[in-house]
Amino acid sequence: MADPTANGDRHTVLLIEDNPGDARLIREMVAEDPDAPFDLHFAERLSHGLDFLGKRQAGLVLLDLSLPDSLGLETFARVFAHSPSVPIIVLTGTDDATVALRAVKGGAQDYLVKGKLDRELLVRSMQYSIERKRYQVQLEHQANYDALTGLPNRTLLHDRLRQAVFAQRNLRAIAVVFMDLDHFKFVNDSLGHSVGDELLKTVAERVRSVLRDGDTVRTSPSWRNWRVDRLTETKPGLRPSSIQARFWRQASPRTHSPICTMSPVSSASGMKRAGRTRPHSGCIQRSSASEPQMAPVRRSTFCW
């Protein structure tokens, strides 16, 4: 990813600091460097800072841990939970190696002690933190999303499935609906892998377009077929056939409209539903793959 500063772009930096003297010192340090691509904004309370982050896109947060409405690492935890994609530098007057290590382990990009701070150290830390966070986001995306389709991979689905199972206060049933593309190997063998890739990307985009908020769809490519798993919560009393039928009503108009007119490719779906207990999330995924007969299979053919 290109450095935005190369095109003259500037980073919005939020300083959450209740001490006017410290805030003025930080502002003067940044202003001393005419090449520093930062626009500073200030908040005296954590609540004001969170409001700012909810309304504006910030490129960096400079965070004091001792604020009128929050104290200690809990301050960092609340900002990180609110804006996990924004790099955070902890600024504090306490030179505590244990707190510094816990903050960095928790996701902070740096831990700077105010009494040991100078302009060069501050500006360098701000620039490095932004680039480090950008690279970290890229790595996390590569680790959790399929490079071809951009859909979540098995790792991310497993994590979200585990969260869906264990994060519920009132237990609700959870369903994994799967859809296979049959004869996908024939497409690759007869038309080439580049054509197969375009087919996968087109179907993935169509499936993504019918998702609801809170649903997760992931890909599981293989040499025989191609599979999409969709994780969704279900309402009490719904039969598996009703859940699956609703999925097909949403997906069919998009996934089964013609793409091209060469090779017939059919798709089929099945479903595995976890009851209102807390099963291991891996069991749901394994059973959805090994027991498609647990729910009726719907099949439809479209042309590629």
Side-chain angles (χ1 to χ4, degrees):
M1 182 179 297
D3 186 351
T5 63
N7 298 322
D9 294 339
R10 300 180 63 82
H11 300 289
T12 297
V13 178
L14 174 63
L15 172 61
I16 307 179
E17 170 64 70
D18 66 318
N19 188 313
D22 289 341
R24 183 174 61 255
L25 180 61
I26 297 297
R27 182 175 62 246
E28 291 174 352
M29 286 183 181
V30 174
E32 286 177 3
D33 189 343
D35 296 326
F38 305 118
D39 293 325
L40 259 63
H41 299 261
F42 301 94
E44 295 182 349
R45 293 177 174 268
L46 178 61
S47 57
H48 298 166
L50 296 180
D51 288 342
F52 180 94
L53 292 173
K55 299 174 182 177
R56 298 280 300 275
Q57 181 64 43
L60 177 68
V61 173
L62 301 175
L63 179 65
D64 183 18
L65 294 183
S66 300
L67 299 171
D69 53 346
S70 185
L71 185 65
L73 286 177
E74 175 66 19
T75 306
F76 166 77
R78 292 173 63 183
V79 177
F80 186 78
H82 183 279
S83 302
S85 63
V86 179
I88 303 172
I89 296 176
V90 173
L91 290 175
T92 179
T94 304
D95 189 0
D96 189 324
T98 301
V99 175
L101 185 59
R102 289 176 59 191
V104 172
K105 284 184 175 181
Q109 294 298 314
D110 209 344
Y111 184 97
L112 302 178
V113 180
K114 296 177 183 178
K116 300 180 179 180
L117 198 60
D118 58 33
R119 177 188 60 82
E120 183 178 355
L121 175 60
L122 175 62
V123 173
R124 183 171 64 245
S125 177
M126 293 168 69
Q127 292 173 332
Y128 288 1
S129 295
I130 291 173
E131 294 306 316
R132 197 160 47 236
K133 186 66 174 183
R134 181 183 292 120
Y135 185 60
Q136 178 184 345
V137 170
Q138 290 177 345
L139 289 180
E140 290 177 351
H141 188 275
Q142 293 172 5
N144 292 302
Y145 290 85
D146 178 64
L148 177 65
T149 63
L151 295 177
N153 59 19
R154 179 180 306 190
T155 301
L156 185 56
L157 177 73
H158 178 76
D159 180 68
R160 291 183 178 175
L161 182 58
R162 181 165 48 85
Q163 292 182 37
V165 170
F166 292 101
Q168 301 180 90
R169 293 185 177 180
N170 299 316
L171 294 181
R172 301 181 64 184
I174 299 170
V176 176
V177 180
F178 61 86
M179 181 182 74
D180 283 337
L181 295 185
D182 304 319
H183 314 302
F184 178 61
K185 182 177 183 297
F186 177 77
V187 174
N188 276 336
D189 291 345
S190 60
L191 301 177
H193 287 277
S194 60
V195 175
D197 288 348
E198 289 301 319
L199 172 61
L200 296 185
K201 289 190 288 187
T202 300
V203 174
E205 180 58 34
R206 292 183 176 186
V207 172
R208 185 190 291 113
S209 69
V210 299
L211 288 181
R212 305 172 306 176
D213 292 340
D215 287 350
T216 297
V217 58
R218 69 104 174 179
T219 59
S220 178
S222 70
W223 69 276
R224 290 184 179 274
N225 54 26
W226 185 75
R227 176 170 177 165
V228 173
D229 290 336
R230 178 190 180 195
L231 168 64
T232 183
E233 286 194 2
T234 67
K235 295 180 179 179
L238 283 180
R239 295 178 300 173
S241 58
S242 300
I243 302 168
Q244 192 176 339
R246 184 176 63 184
F247 166 75
W248 274 90
R249 283 196 302 269
Q250 294 172 339
S252 292
R254 289 284 293 154
T255 57
H256 297 137
S257 58
I259 303 174
C260 191
T261 56
M262 292 183 182
S263 173
V265 179
S266 62
S267 62
S269 79
M271 191 196 72
K272 180 62 180 179
R273 184 184 185 189
R276 300 182 68 182
T277 59
R278 293 196 188 275
H280 190 276
S281 57
C283 296
I284 303 177
Q285 293 187 76
R286 287 194 297 270
S287 60
S288 69
S290 61
E291 302 178 18
Q293 69 273 17
M294 294 297 291
V297 173
R298 295 284 299 271
R299 185 173 297 276
S300 180
T301 300
F302 56 97
C303 289
W304 167 253

